[in-house]
Amino acid sequence: MLGIIGGTGLTQLANLVVTRRQIIRTPYGEPSAPLTFGEVGGRPVVFLARHGSGHTIPPHAVNYRANLWALHSEGVCNIVAIATVGGIHADLAPGSIAVPDQIIDYTHSRKTSFHDGVELPVRHIDFTEPYCPNMRRLVQLAARKLGEPVVMGGTYACVQGPRLETAAEINRLERDGATMVGMTGMPEAALARELEISYAALCPVANHAAGRGSSQHGIRYEDVGVVLEGTMQRVRTLIEHVVTMHGD
């Protein structure tokens, strides 16, 4: 079954025909919200709002382990995660959509593994390719069918948040090879890999990163909201195509 994790700007799927909602208990505590089961285009899908139904959980406080465990326990084996980012590279202007293929983790103090020596034995996973090539290809094919331009590839820098970055920090991320910056990509991607879930990220670009483009003199959050509102309409349509093509 396909799971969709919604991020900032996507707390629900408007085109989801809901069949049931279920609160899942996990060994790691409460997920961000009940799982929403339903269909998109006649295909089954499970939706989870990463930041809670009312977008009240900040990135550093998300219970990523409970979220992934809950989805896995209900038979989800493939995930497309919506993760809003700031664009560092010039190709990633506000309103564009990226599908990254690499990630760098700058977060701290988050629960990063199921295998912490308590619940499960220690296990080392291969994380050379943090995003599933097959799921990334599915997103690309769905975008092509829709005629929606997406930027394939790029490196997601995952920072702690919830504050935005300084211009100097963005310079550092760019020197490290990052092309976009967000706050929720890790440990979500690694936890999915530990559970052997095929995972890809779909990243709407909400704004230029600090010191880039129109943000050279600061980032106006009201402008970010306007961009996201329009971009998320396109993301919802793209997700619908991904769901209907899943399993073909």
Side-chain angles (χ1 to χ4, degrees):
M1 186 183 297
L2 179 65
I4 305 296
I5 299 178
T8 299
L10 191 67
T11 57
Q12 59 184 349
L13 283 178
N15 49 3
L16 176 65
V17 179
V18 177
T19 56
R20 63 187 171 98
R21 292 182 174 87
Q22 185 172 341
I23 298 172
I24 306 295
R25 309 297 181 188
T26 85
Y28 307 97
E30 296 286 333
S32 297
L35 299 186
T36 301
F37 295 79
E39 294 183 348
V40 174
R43 297 293 180 92
V45 66
V46 182
F47 178 80
L48 174 63
R50 184 190 292 114
H51 299 283
S53 301
H55 200 269
T56 56
I57 306 172
H60 67 286
V62 171
N63 192 337
Y64 295 95
R65 293 198 300 180
N67 286 351
L68 271 296
W69 188 271
L71 289 165
H72 177 68
S73 70
E74 292 300 312
V76 170
C77 54
N78 300 299
I79 288 176
V80 176
I82 314 304
T84 301
V85 297
I88 299 175
H89 194 276
D91 289 345
L92 297 179
S96 57
I97 301 172
V99 183
D101 59 354
Q102 281 295 325
I103 194 165
I104 305 174
D105 188 7
Y106 298 92
T107 65
H108 56 83
S109 306
R110 300 185 183 188
K111 297 290 187 180
T112 59
S113 176
F114 295 110
H115 305 273
D116 59 6
V118 178
E119 291 87 358
L120 295 171
V122 174
R123 179 188 175 202
H124 301 286
I125 58 168
D126 174 39
F127 209 47
T128 305
E129 292 187 74
Y131 300 106
C132 173
N134 291 333
M135 289 303 296
R136 294 182 64 253
R137 193 173 303 114
L138 176 63
V139 174
Q140 182 181 30
L141 291 174
R144 188 177 297 164
K145 181 177 180 180
L146 180 61
E148 175 66 59
V150 295
V151 178
M152 292 300 301
T155 298
Y156 180 118
C158 188
V159 297
Q160 182 71 358
R163 69 166 177 84
L164 300 180
E165 304 73 41
T166 69
E169 287 170 332
I170 293 299
N171 289 339
R172 174 203 173 191
L173 299 183
E174 186 172 41
R175 289 194 298 270
D176 286 350
T179 59
M180 66 194 83
V181 58
M183 301 175 187
T184 58
M186 288 292 287
E188 195 170 89
L191 293 169
R193 180 63 51 85
E194 287 191 350
L195 294 174
E196 298 183 351
I197 296 173
S198 298
Y199 176 96
L202 185 60
C203 298
V205 181
N207 55 276
H208 289 289
R212 301 291 184 275
S214 58
S215 72
Q216 290 182 13
H217 303 292
I219 297 172
R220 289 163 41 92
Y221 201 75
E222 53 269 34
D223 295 338
V224 172
V226 171
V227 172
L228 268 183
E229 184 176 352
T231 307
M232 283 303 174
Q233 293 297 330
R234 293 158 45 215
V235 168
R236 290 186 180 93
T237 304
L238 179 53
I239 287 296
E240 181 175 0
H241 278 68
V242 170
V243 174
T244 54
M245 292 177 65
H246 181 252
D248 284 351

